[in-house]
Amino acid sequence: MKSAVRVLQIFQLYADIKAPASLATISQRLEMPKSSCQALLRTLEAHGYLSNRDESKDYYPTRKLYDEMRTIVEEDPFLKDLMPLLEELSDATGESVFLARRQDLMAHYLEIVQGRQSLRFAGTAGERRPLYIGAAGQSLLGGMPKAERVALVNRLEFERFSPNTITSGAALLKQVEEGVKRGWFMSIGGFQLEVSSIGNYVWLNEQLYAIVIAAPTQRIERNQKTLSRLVMDLCARVTER
């Protein structure tokens, strides 16, 4: 298990530094013994996932992992069915749309369709945010049985990211309850004042997900009636499928 984690850390390191790296650099950054690090790098190189880019012996990932992961994602039957609907919602609103799922105390963005507006929410798949931030977290909490929701909120540790960040369990539960009653959830500048979101939850294969529209705050506030109706309609269609 530890070796598997180390391999993931190596690729995460490249995503952070965005440049070739030597054995010494990787070993130091990951606090890994040079001998163990060298063995992993040579194994990845032998299987075509890393290459030596020049005489300096710096390593850099090849396209192999990207190509394999792209094939896996493109053939995911769940996303194959859902992505056209997310793209349809993005086309109808002009805004970015994303799919999220809860990972313990975080909302994990699984897939994002970028809006066509020049000024737009530009998140990326794989990002995670605390559940008390944004419509994604509220939606995921709203889909839970009330007792489970309260128990989960009581585990949260709140941190202020903007003047509008919810910083108490009582305030979060109140906002989620309001969303449950009206049938959709909204966050105005919870993480950044300039970005807001509207969403709702769906159950798919007995798992809880959130479908969210995210955009500059002014457009969310100006168009919240239309956006909330569209996201509710889409969630109803997904549930019917």
Side-chain angles (χ1 to χ4, degrees), residues 202-230:
V202 290
W203 284 92
L204 299 167
N205 299 327
E206 299 184 354
Q207 298 292 328
L208 185 63
Y209 295 85
I211 295 175
V212 180
I213 300 170
T217 296
Q218 287 185 338
R219 293 209 298 265
I220 289 287
E221 291 181 320
R222 184 172 64 242
N223 301 316
Q224 66 175 271
K225 185 175 180 179
T226 298
L227 297 177
S228 61
R229 175 179 54 80
L230 289 171

Side-chain angles (χ1 to χ4, degrees), residues 118-137:
S118 56
L119 184 62
R120 62 182 185 271
F121 173 74
T124 58
E127 287 187 49
R128 299 192 303 165
R129 294 284 184 268
L131 286 172
Y132 58 89
I133 289 175

